[in-house]
Amino acid sequence: QVRDLVRQIQALRKQSDLKPGQLAILKVSAKHGSRDLIEQQIEKLKQATSLSQIEFVVTDVPLAVSH
């Protein structure tokens, strides 16, 4: 599951024209079980995908990347 999430984040980074190593903020709308998984792996996800932080938000869009 973590690898799938990393792939999704990398695809969002590409869509946002972020360069490798350029830090970004990930905004996530996740249900309880998914949020638990992300929170358990937060440092690994941040390192693997060049994120400065991961924010949990309430929205219709499940994942969004900004710089």
Coordinates of all heavy atoms in Angstrom, one line a residue:
Q1 N 0.8 -1.2 0.0 CA 0.0 0.0 0.0 C 0.9 1.3 0.0 O 0.5 2.2 -0.6 CB -0.9 0.0 1.2 CG -2.1 -1.0 1.1 CD -2.9 -0.9 2.4 OE1 -2.6 -0.4 3.4 NE2 -4.1 -1.5 2.2
V2 N 2.0 1.2 0.7 CA 2.8 2.4 0.8 C 3.4 2.7 -0.6 O 3.5 3.8 -1.0 CB 3.9 2.3 1.9 CG1 4.9 3.4 1.8 CG2 3.3 2.2 3.2
R3 N 3.8 1.6 -1.3 CA 4.4 1.8 -2.6 C 3.4 2.4 -3.6 O 3.8 3.3 -4.4 CB 4.9 0.5 -3.2 CG 6.3 0.2 -2.7 CD 6.9 -0.9 -3.5 NE 6.5 -2.2 -3.0 CZ 6.7 -3.4 -3.5 NH1 7.4 -3.5 -4.6 NH2 6.3 -4.4 -2.9
D4 N 2.2 2.0 -3.5 CA 1.1 2.6 -4.3 C 0.9 4.1 -4.0 O 0.8 4.9 -5.0 CB -0.2 1.9 -4.1 CG -0.2 0.4 -4.7 OD1 0.6 0.2 -5.6 OD2 -1.0 -0.4 -4.2
L5 N 1.0 4.4 -2.8 CA 0.8 5.8 -2.4 C 2.0 6.6 -2.9 O 1.9 7.7 -3.4 CB 0.7 5.9 -0.9 CG 0.4 7.3 -0.3 CD1 -0.8 7.9 -1.0 CD2 0.2 7.2 1.2
V6 N 3.2 6.1 -2.8 CA 4.4 6.8 -3.3 C 4.3 7.0 -4.8 O 4.6 8.1 -5.3 CB 5.7 6.0 -3.0 CG1 6.9 6.5 -3.8 CG2 6.0 6.0 -1.5
R7 N 3.8 6.0 -5.5 CA 3.6 6.2 -7.0 C 2.6 7.3 -7.3 O 2.8 8.1 -8.2 CB 3.2 4.9 -7.6 CG 4.3 3.9 -7.9 CD 3.9 2.8 -8.9 NE 2.9 1.9 -8.4 CZ 3.1 0.8 -7.7 NH1 4.4 0.5 -7.3 NH2 2.2 0.1 -7.3
Q8 N 1.5 7.3 -6.5 CA 0.5 8.3 -6.7 C 1.1 9.7 -6.5 O 0.8 10.7 -7.2 CB -0.7 8.1 -5.8 CG -1.6 6.9 -6.2 CD -2.7 6.7 -5.3 OE1 -2.7 7.2 -4.2 NE2 -3.7 6.0 -5.8
I9 N 1.8 9.8 -5.4 CA 2.4 11.1 -5.1 C 3.4 11.6 -6.1 O 3.4 12.7 -6.6 CB 3.1 11.1 -3.7 CG1 2.1 10.9 -2.6 CG2 3.9 12.4 -3.4 CD1 2.6 10.5 -1.2
Q10 N 4.2 10.6 -6.6 CA 5.2 11.0 -7.7 C 4.5 11.4 -9.0 O 4.9 12.3 -9.6 CB 6.1 9.8 -8.0 CG 7.0 9.4 -6.8 CD 8.1 10.4 -6.5 OE1 7.9 11.6 -6.7 NE2 9.1 10.0 -5.9
A11 N 3.3 10.8 -9.3 CA 2.6 11.2 -10.4 C 2.0 12.6 -10.3 O 2.0 13.4 -11.2 CB 1.4 10.2 -10.7
L12 N 1.5 12.9 -9.1 CA 1.1 14.3 -8.8 C 2.2 15.3 -8.9 O 2.0 16.4 -9.4 CB 0.4 14.3 -7.4 CG -0.9 13.7 -7.2 CD1 -1.3 13.6 -5.7 CD2 -2.0 14.5 -8.0
R13 N 3.4 14.9 -8.4 CA 4.5 15.8 -8.5 C 4.8 16.1 -10.0 O 5.1 17.3 -10.3 CB 5.8 15.2 -7.8 CG 5.7 15.2 -6.3 CD 6.9 14.6 -5.7 NE 8.1 15.3 -6.1 CZ 8.5 16.5 -5.6 NH1 7.9 16.9 -4.5 NH2 9.6 17.1 -6.0
K14 N 4.8 15.1 -10.8 CA 5.1 15.2 -12.2 C 4.0 16.2 -12.9 O 4.3 17.0 -13.6 CB 5.1 13.9 -12.9 CG 5.5 13.9 -14.3 CD 5.6 12.6 -14.9 CE 6.1 12.7 -16.4 NZ 6.3 11.4 -17.0
Q15 N 2.7 15.9 -12.5 CA 1.6 16.8 -13.1 C 1.8 18.2 -12.7 O 1.4 19.1 -13.4 CB 0.3 16.3 -12.6 CG -0.2 15.0 -13.2 CD -1.4 14.4 -12.6 OE1 -2.0 15.1 -11.7 NE2 -1.8 13.3 -13.0
S16 N 2.4 18.4 -11.5 CA 2.6 19.8 -11.0 C 3.9 20.4 -11.4 O 4.3 21.5 -11.0 CB 2.5 19.8 -9.4 OG 1.3 19.3 -9.0
D17 N 4.6 19.7 -12.3 CA 5.9 20.2 -12.8 C 6.9 20.5 -11.7 O 7.8 21.4 -11.9 CB 5.7 21.4 -13.7 CG 5.0 21.2 -15.0 OD1 5.2 20.1 -15.5 OD2 4.2 22.0 -15.4
L18 N 6.9 19.6 -10.7 CA 7.9 19.8 -9.6 C 9.2 19.0 -10.0 O 9.1 18.0 -10.6 CB 7.4 19.2 -8.3 CG 6.3 20.0 -7.7 CD1 5.6 19.2 -6.5 CD2 6.8 21.3 -7.1
K19 N 10.3 19.6 -9.8 CA 11.6 19.0 -10.1 C 12.0 18.0 -9.0 O 11.6 18.2 -7.9 CB 12.7 20.1 -10.2 CG 12.3 21.3 -11.1 CD 12.5 20.9 -12.6 CE 12.3 22.0 -13.5 NZ 11.1 21.9 -14.3
P20 N 12.8 17.0 -9.4 CA 13.3 16.1 -8.4 C 14.0 16.9 -7.2 O 14.8 17.8 -7.5 CB 14.3 15.2 -9.1 CG 13.8 15.3 -10.5 CD 13.3 16.7 -10.7
G21 N 13.7 16.5 -6.0 CA 14.3 17.2 -4.9 C 13.6 18.5 -4.4 O 13.9 18.9 -3.3
Q22 N 12.8 19.0 -5.3 CA 12.1 20.3 -4.9 C 11.0 19.9 -3.9 O 10.2 19.0 -4.1 CB 11.4 20.9 -6.1 CG 10.7 22.2 -5.9 CD 10.1 22.8 -7.2 OE1 10.2 22.2 -8.2 NE2 9.4 23.9 -7.0
L23 N 11.0 20.5 -2.7 CA 10.1 20.2 -1.6 C 8.7 20.7 -2.0 O 8.5 21.7 -2.6 CB 10.6 20.8 -0.3 CG 11.9 20.2 0.2 CD1 12.2 21.0 1.5 CD2 11.7 18.7 0.5
A24 N 7.7 19.9 -1.5 CA 6.3 20.2 -1.7 C 5.6 19.8 -0.5 O 6.1 19.1 0.4 CB 5.8 19.4 -2.9
I25 N 4.3 20.3 -0.4 CA 3.4 20.0 0.7 C 2.3 19.1 0.1 O 1.7 19.4 -0.9 CB 2.8 21.2 1.3 CG1 3.9 22.1 1.9 CG2 1.7 20.9 2.3 CD1 3.4 23.5 2.3
L26 N 2.0 18.0 0.7 CA 1.0 17.1 0.3 C -0.2 17.3 1.2 O -0.1 17.3 2.4 CB 1.4 15.6 0.4 CG 0.4 14.6 0.0 CD1 0.1 14.6 -1.5 CD2 0.8 13.2 0.4
K27 N -1.4 17.6 0.5 CA -2.6 17.7 1.3 C -3.5 16.5 1.0 O -3.7 16.1 -0.2 CB -3.4 19.0 0.8 CG -2.6 20.2 1.2 CD -3.3 21.5 0.9 CE -2.4 22.6 1.3 NZ -3.0 23.9 1.1
V28 N -3.9 15.8 2.0 CA -4.5 14.5 1.9 C -5.9 14.5 2.6 O -6.0 14.9 3.7 CB -3.7 13.4 2.5 CG1 -4.4 12.0 2.4 CG2 -2.3 13.3 2.0
S29 N -6.9 14.0 1.9 CA -8.2 13.7 2.5 C -8.3 12.2 2.6 O -8.4 11.5 1.6 CB -9.3 14.3 1.6 OG -10.6 14.0 2.1
A30 N -8.2 11.7 3.8 CA -8.2 10.3 4.0 C -9.1 9.8 5.0 O -9.3 10.5 6.0 CB -6.8 9.8 4.3
K31 N -9.7 8.6 4.8 CA -10.6 8.0 5.8 C -9.7 7.5 7.0 O -8.5 7.4 6.9 CB -11.4 6.9 5.2 CG -12.4 7.4 4.2 CD -13.2 6.2 3.8 CE -14.4 6.5 3.0 NZ -14.4 7.4 1.9
H32 N -10.3 7.1 8.1 CA -9.5 6.8 9.3 C -8.4 5.7 9.0 O -7.3 5.9 9.4 CB -10.5 6.3 10.3 CG -9.9 6.0 11.7 ND1 -9.4 7.0 12.5 CD2 -9.7 4.8 12.3 CE1 -8.9 6.4 13.5 NE2 -9.0 5.1 13.5
G33 N -8.7 4.6 8.4 CA -7.7 3.6 8.2 C -6.6 4.0 7.3 O -5.4 3.7 7.6
S34 N -6.9 4.8 6.2 CA -5.9 5.3 5.4 C -5.0 6.3 6.1 O -3.8 6.4 5.9 CB -6.5 5.9 4.1 OG -7.2 4.9 3.4
R35 N -5.7 7.1 6.9 CA -4.9 8.2 7.6 C -3.9 7.5 8.6 O -2.8 7.9 8.7 CB -5.9 9.1 8.4 CG -5.2 10.2 9.1 CD -6.1 11.1 9.8 NE -5.3 12.1 10.5 CZ -5.7 13.3 10.7 NH1 -6.9 13.7 10.3 NH2 -5.0 14.2 11.4
D36 N -4.4 6.4 9.2 CA -3.5 5.7 10.2 C -2.3 5.2 9.4 O -1.1 5.3 9.9 CB -4.2 4.5 10.8 CG -5.3 5.0 11.9 OD1 -5.2 6.2 12.3 OD2 -6.1 4.2 12.2
L37 N -2.5 4.6 8.2 CA -1.3 4.1 7.4 C -0.4 5.2 7.1 O 0.8 5.1 7.3 CB -1.8 3.4 6.2 CG -0.8 3.0 5.2 CD1 0.1 1.9 5.7 CD2 -1.4 2.6 3.8
I38 N -0.9 6.3 6.7 CA 0.0 7.5 6.3 C 0.7 8.0 7.5 O 1.9 8.3 7.4 CB -0.9 8.6 5.6 CG1 -1.4 8.1 4.3 CG2 -0.1 9.9 5.5 CD1 -2.5 9.0 3.7
E39 N 0.0 8.1 8.6 CA 0.7 8.6 9.8 C 1.8 7.7 10.3 O 2.8 8.1 10.8 CB -0.4 8.8 11.0 CG -1.2 10.1 10.7 CD -2.3 10.3 11.7 OE1 -2.7 9.3 12.4 OE2 -2.8 11.4 11.9
Q40 N 1.6 6.4 10.2 CA 2.6 5.4 10.6 C 3.8 5.5 9.7 O 4.9 5.2 10.1 CB 2.0 4.0 10.5 CG 1.0 3.7 11.6 CD 0.3 2.4 11.4 OE1 0.6 1.6 10.4 NE2 -0.7 2.1 12.2
Q41 N 3.7 5.9 8.4 CA 4.7 5.9 7.4 C 5.1 7.3 7.0 O 5.8 7.5 6.0 CB 4.3 5.1 6.2 CG 4.0 3.7 6.5 CD 5.2 2.9 6.9 OE1 6.3 3.1 6.5 NE2 5.0 1.9 7.8
I42 N 4.7 8.3 7.8 CA 4.9 9.7 7.3 C 6.3 10.1 7.0 O 6.5 10.7 6.0 CB 4.2 10.7 8.4 CG1 3.9 12.0 7.7 CG2 5.1 10.8 9.6 CD1 2.9 12.8 8.5
E43 N 7.3 9.7 7.8 CA 8.7 10.1 7.5 C 9.2 9.4 6.3 O 9.9 10.0 5.5 CB 9.6 9.9 8.7 CG 9.3 10.8 9.9 CD 9.4 12.3 9.6 OE1 10.3 12.7 8.8 OE2 8.5 13.0 10.0
K44 N 8.8 8.2 6.1 CA 9.3 7.4 4.9 C 8.7 8.0 3.7 O 9.3 8.2 2.7 CB 8.8 5.9 5.1 CG 9.2 5.1 4.0 CD 8.8 3.6 4.2 CE 9.2 2.7 3.1 NZ 8.9 1.3 3.4
L45 N 7.4 8.4 3.7 CA 6.7 9.0 2.6 C 7.3 10.4 2.3 O 7.6 10.7 1.1 CB 5.2 9.2 2.9 CG 4.4 7.9 2.9 CD1 3.0 8.2 3.4 CD2 4.3 7.3 1.5
K46 N 7.6 11.2 3.3 CA 8.2 12.5 3.1 C 9.6 12.4 2.4 O 9.9 13.1 1.5 CB 8.3 13.3 4.4 CG 6.9 13.8 4.9 CD 7.0 14.3 6.3 CE 7.9 15.4 6.6 NZ 7.8 15.9 8.0
Q47 N 10.4 11.4 2.9 CA 11.7 11.3 2.3 C 11.6 10.7 0.9 O 12.4 11.2 0.0 CB 12.5 10.3 3.2 CG 13.9 10.2 2.7 CD 14.7 9.3 3.7 OE1 14.2 8.6 4.5 NE2 16.0 9.3 3.5
A48 N 10.8 9.7 0.7 CA 10.7 9.1 -0.7 C 10.2 10.0 -1.7 O 10.4 9.8 -2.9 CB 9.9 7.8 -0.6
T49 N 9.4 11.0 -1.3 CA 8.7 11.8 -2.3 C 9.0 13.3 -2.2 O 8.3 14.1 -2.8 CB 7.2 11.6 -2.2 OG1 6.8 12.0 -0.9 CG2 6.8 10.2 -2.5
S50 N 10.1 13.7 -1.5 CA 10.5 15.1 -1.4 C 9.4 16.0 -0.9 O 9.1 17.0 -1.5 CB 11.1 15.6 -2.7 OG 12.2 14.9 -3.0
L51 N 8.8 15.6 0.2 CA 7.7 16.4 0.8 C 8.2 17.1 2.1 O 8.9 16.4 2.9 CB 6.5 15.5 1.2 CG 5.8 14.9 0.0 CD1 4.7 13.9 0.6 CD2 5.1 15.9 -0.9
S52 N 7.9 18.3 2.2 CA 8.3 19.0 3.5 C 7.3 18.7 4.6 O 7.6 18.7 5.7 CB 8.4 20.5 3.2 OG 7.2 21.1 2.8
Q53 N 6.0 18.5 4.2 CA 5.0 18.2 5.2 C 3.8 17.5 4.5 O 3.6 17.6 3.3 CB 4.6 19.4 6.0 CG 3.8 20.4 5.2 CD 3.5 21.6 6.0 OE1 4.4 22.5 6.3 NE2 2.3 21.8 6.5
I54 N 3.0 16.8 5.3 CA 1.8 16.2 4.9 C 0.7 16.7 5.8 O 0.8 16.6 7.0 CB 1.9 14.6 5.0 CG1 3.0 14.1 4.0 CG2 0.5 14.0 4.6 CD1 3.2 12.6 4.1
E55 N -0.3 17.3 5.1 CA -1.5 17.9 5.9 C -2.7 17.1 5.6 O -3.0 16.7 4.4 CB -1.7 19.3 5.4 CG -0.6 20.3 5.7 CD -0.8 21.7 5.1 OE1 -1.9 21.9 4.5 OE2 0.0 22.5 5.3
F56 N -3.5 16.8 6.6 CA -4.8 16.2 6.4 C -5.9 17.2 6.4 O -6.0 18.1 7.2 CB -5.0 15.2 7.6 CG -4.1 14.0 7.6 CD1 -2.9 14.1 8.3 CD2 -4.3 12.9 6.8 CE1 -2.0 13.0 8.3 CE2 -3.4 11.9 6.7 CZ -2.2 11.9 7.5
V57 N -6.7 17.2 5.3 CA -7.7 18.2 5.1 C -9.0 17.5 4.7 O -9.1 16.3 4.4 CB -7.3 19.1 3.9 CG1 -6.1 19.9 4.3 CG2 -7.1 18.4 2.6
V58 N -10.1 18.2 4.8 CA -11.4 17.8 4.4 C -11.7 18.4 3.0 O -11.8 19.6 2.9 CB -12.5 18.2 5.4 CG1 -13.9 17.7 4.9 CG2 -12.2 17.6 6.8
T59 N -11.8 17.5 2.0 CA -12.0 17.9 0.6 C -12.5 16.7 -0.2 O -12.4 15.6 0.2 CB -10.7 18.5 0.0 OG1 -11.0 18.9 -1.3 CG2 -9.6 17.5 0.0
D60 N -13.1 17.0 -1.4 CA -13.5 16.0 -2.3 C -12.3 15.4 -3.1 O -12.4 14.3 -3.6 CB -14.5 16.6 -3.3 CG -15.8 16.9 -2.6 OD1 -16.1 16.4 -1.5 OD2 -16.5 17.8 -3.2
V61 N -11.2 16.1 -3.1 CA -10.0 15.6 -3.8 C -9.2 14.8 -2.9 O -8.7 15.4 -1.9 CB -9.2 16.8 -4.4 CG1 -8.0 16.3 -5.2 CG2 -10.1 17.7 -5.3
P62 N -8.9 13.5 -3.2 CA -8.1 12.7 -2.2 C -6.7 13.1 -2.0 O -6.2 13.0 -0.9 CB -8.3 11.3 -2.7 CG -8.7 11.4 -4.1 CD -9.3 12.8 -4.3
L63 N -6.0 13.6 -3.0 CA -4.6 14.0 -2.9 C -4.3 15.2 -3.7 O -4.8 15.4 -4.8 CB -3.6 12.9 -3.5 CG -3.6 11.6 -2.8 CD1 -2.7 10.6 -3.6 CD2 -3.0 11.7 -1.4
A64 N -3.5 16.1 -3.2 CA -3.1 17.3 -3.9 C -1.7 17.7 -3.5 O -1.4 17.7 -2.3 CB -4.1 18.5 -3.7
V65 N -0.9 18.2 -4.4 CA 0.5 18.6 -4.1 C 0.6 20.0 -4.5 O 0.1 20.5 -5.5 CB 1.5 17.8 -5.0 CG1 2.9 18.3 -4.8 CG2 1.5 16.3 -4.6
S66 N 1.2 20.8 -3.6 CA 1.5 22.2 -3.8 C 3.0 22.5 -3.4 O 3.6 21.7 -2.7 CB 0.6 23.1 -3.0 OG 0.7 22.9 -1.7
H67 N 3.5 23.6 -3.9 CA 4.8 24.0 -3.5 C 4.8 25.3 -2.8 O 3.9 25.9 -2.5 CB 5.8 24.1 -4.7 CG 5.3 24.3 -6.0 ND1 6.1 24.7 -7.1 CD2 4.1 24.2 -6.6 CE1 5.4 24.8 -8.2 NE2 4.2 24.5 -7.9

